[in-house]
């Protein structure tokens, strides 16, 4: 009996390892958040980055590439699905950034402290913690995957993990960036069955919390709209994250990728496989999109 129990325990811990949340590659884990299961090119990735499949209540919610040194995300990737729901009022951190053997789902600092007998400072070695943002003047906790682009209490709640957050100037977060998230995205995604989004932050030269957390110089976002299993259109947006600026530039995906290549050190940046619909954008944006009114004609099923 005891032997059987031990065996079960071993099996359970093996299963848990197999589902770990900090993963070796997005090419094999939580691929559903990337267009054609393909993550962006490695040129965005800093040294000491972690790939997080964001788990809440035992389900994958979105994916984040996290910069442990700067304690901000590089990007979050998700499916755009705005809708109803409300979040639970709490902030999460990522247990597996502290220790790969810790639980696989996002959790509050208090719960982690209770469970593993560690301190807030221990948690803060690998990531930003609540305290880092408390005294940040004029800066919001800016979501890369925003709760407004998710449906249902659980999906919305899952976006409130600090691994999905960057210090973003309040004027931008509550101004032009919010307008892009709420209004521009709603307009641009009309007629799309699925829109894959990657939203990122370019590391900046300033920081908060005594150098612990980087303040990004730019926030950017890219979208790939799919209809009837075919790419329909793609676009990008970028904003300078500065106190005195409150402007989002909406641009072609290729132009965003070129700007990012410069900002990330010159190497080519590819955000979506085959550039999503880059080459067809001008054809499909206009009257030709009517051809997609029924999927059967296009896909033949
Ligand atoms: C939550 O998100 C997942 C993955 O993006 C999606 O499959 C699911 O339908 C969403 N839940 C609700 C209630 O919309």
């Amino acid at each position: 009996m005891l032997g059987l129990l031990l065996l079960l325990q071993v099996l359970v811990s093996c299963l848990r390892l197999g589902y770990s949340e900090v993963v070796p590659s997005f090419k094999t884990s939580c691929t559903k958040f990337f267009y054609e299961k393909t993550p962006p090119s490695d040129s965005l990735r800093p040294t000491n980055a972690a790939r997080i499949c964001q788990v809440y209540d035992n389900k994958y919610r979105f994916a984040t590439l996290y910069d442990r040194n700067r304690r901000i995300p590089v990007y979050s990737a998700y499916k755009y699905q705005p809708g109803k729901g409300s979040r639970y009022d709490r902030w999460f951190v990522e247990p597996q950034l502290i220790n790969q053997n810790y639980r696989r789902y996002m959790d509050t600092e208090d719960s982690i402290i209770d469970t593993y007998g560690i301190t807030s400072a221990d948690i803060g070695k690998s990531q930003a913690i609540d305290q880092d943002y408390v005294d940040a003047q004029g800066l919001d906790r800016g979501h890369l995957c925003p709760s407004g682009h998710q449906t249902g209490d659980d999906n919305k709640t899952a976006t409130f993990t600090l691994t999905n957050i960057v210090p973003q100037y309040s004027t931008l977060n509550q101004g032009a960036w919010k307008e892009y998230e709420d209004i521009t995205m709603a307009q641009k995604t009309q007629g799309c069955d699925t829109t894959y989004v990657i939203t990122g932050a370019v590391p900046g030269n300033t920081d908060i919390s005594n150098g612990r957390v980087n303040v990004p110089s730019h926030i950017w976002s890219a979208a790939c709209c799919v209809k009837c299993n075919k790419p329909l259109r793609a676009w990008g947006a970028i904003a300078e994250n500065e106190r005195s600026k409150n402007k989002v530039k909406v641009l072609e995906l290729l132009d965003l990728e070129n700007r990012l290549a410069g900002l990330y050190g010159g190497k080519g940046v590819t955000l979506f496989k085959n550039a999503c619909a880059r080459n067809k954008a001008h054809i499909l944006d206009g009257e030709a999109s009517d051809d997609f009114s029924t999927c059967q004609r296009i896909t033949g099923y």
Side-chain angles (χ1 to χ4, degrees), residues 136-142 166-181 215 219 239-248:
Q137 293 294 317
L139 289 156
D140 285 354
R141 300 176 189 211
V166 296
Q168 183 176 13
Y169 281 99
S170 313
T171 37
L172 178 64
N173 186 41
Q174 294 165 33
W177 193 257
K178 182 173 167 53
E179 189 178 314
Y180 174 75
E181 284 179 345
V215 177
I219 317 278
E240 285 178 76
N241 188 38
E242 282 181 29
R243 197 178 293 271
S244 56
K245 297 206 170 140
N246 180 25
K247 193 171 165 12
V248 173

Side-chain angles (χ1 to χ4, degrees), residues 32-33 59-62 78-79 81 84 150-156:
K32 68 172 174 177
F33 301 112
K59 288 196 187 75
Y60 288 145
R61 307 294 171 168
F62 60 99
Y78 61 95
K79 288 188 196 173
Q81 42 182 11
K84 291 203 176 79
Q150 296 294 325
T151 299
D153 296 359
D154 289 350
N155 283 345
K156 284 183 188 291

Side-chain angles (χ1 to χ4, degrees), residues 57-287:
D57 193 26
N58 219 32
K59 288 196 187 75
Y60 288 145
R61 307 294 171 168
F62 60 99
T64 298
L65 182 67
Y66 190 74
D67 184 339
R68 301 175 206 243
N69 291 352
R70 297 186 179 91
R71 297 189 182 87
I72 50 168
V74 178
Y75 63 72
S76 285
Y78 61 95
K79 288 188 196 173
Y80 173 77
Q81 42 182 11
K84 291 203 176 79
S86 52
R87 65 113 158 180
Y88 311 121
D89 191 21
R90 65 187 87 149
W91 285 96
F92 300 111
V93 293
E94 174 47 53
Q96 292 198 341
L97 286 178
I98 313 162
N99 184 325
Q100 182 80 50
N101 296 319
Y102 282 8
R103 60 177 56 126
R104 60 182 280 259
Y105 50 88
M106 60 180 74
D107 204 350
T108 60
E109 285 178 50
D110 285 347
S111 168
I112 291 169
I113 288 166
D114 281 355
T115 307
Y116 300 105
I118 59 172
T119 64
S120 224
D122 292 330
I123 300 173
K125 283 176 194 154
S126 58
Q127 60 197 296
I129 54 175
D130 197 66
Q131 184 61 36
D132 289 321
Y133 282 90
V134 168
D135 294 324
Q137 293 294 317
L139 289 156
D140 285 354
R141 300 176 189 211
H143 286 72
L144 295 190
C145 171
S147 67
H149 286 183
Q150 296 294 325
T151 299
D153 296 359
D154 289 350
N155 283 345
K156 284 183 188 291
T157 297
T159 66
F160 289 81
T161 173
L162 292 174
T163 56
N164 180 44
I165 295 295
V166 296
Q168 183 176 13
Y169 281 99
S170 313
T171 37
L172 178 64
N173 186 41
Q174 294 165 33
W177 193 257
K178 182 173 167 53
E179 189 178 314
Y180 174 75
E181 284 179 345
D182 293 352
I183 298 167
T184 312
M185 279 297 287
Q187 287 165 351
K188 289 238 171 219
T189 54
Q190 275 181 27
C192 311
D193 295 336
T194 306
T195 302
Y196 295 88
V197 181
I198 297 166
T199 299
V202 181
N205 296 321
T206 59
D207 47 64
I208 56 169
S209 198
N210 286 321
R212 281 180 40 82
V213 178
N214 185 274
V215 177
S217 63
H218 298 74
I219 317 278
W220 54 268
S221 186
C224 168
C225 152
V226 176
K227 181 150 180 85
C228 303
N229 295 316
K230 290 192 189 326
L232 180 59
R233 68 180 84 96
W235 64 92
I238 188 163
E240 285 178 76
N241 188 38
E242 282 181 29
R243 197 178 293 271
S244 56
K245 297 206 170 140
N246 180 25
K247 193 171 165 12
V248 173
K249 187 173 169 50
V250 177
L251 68 185
E252 303 267 335
L253 176 63
L254 178 64
D255 293 337
L256 175 67
E257 288 174 336
N258 286 340
R259 273 199 73 181
L260 294 181
L263 291 166
Y264 284 90
K267 280 173 280 170
V269 170
T270 307
L271 296 173
F272 299 115
K273 186 177 179 184
N274 297 332
C276 183
R278 187 177 73 204
N279 303 326
K280 296 185 278 179
H282 57 287
I283 309 167
L284 293 173
D285 241 347
E287 64 288 331

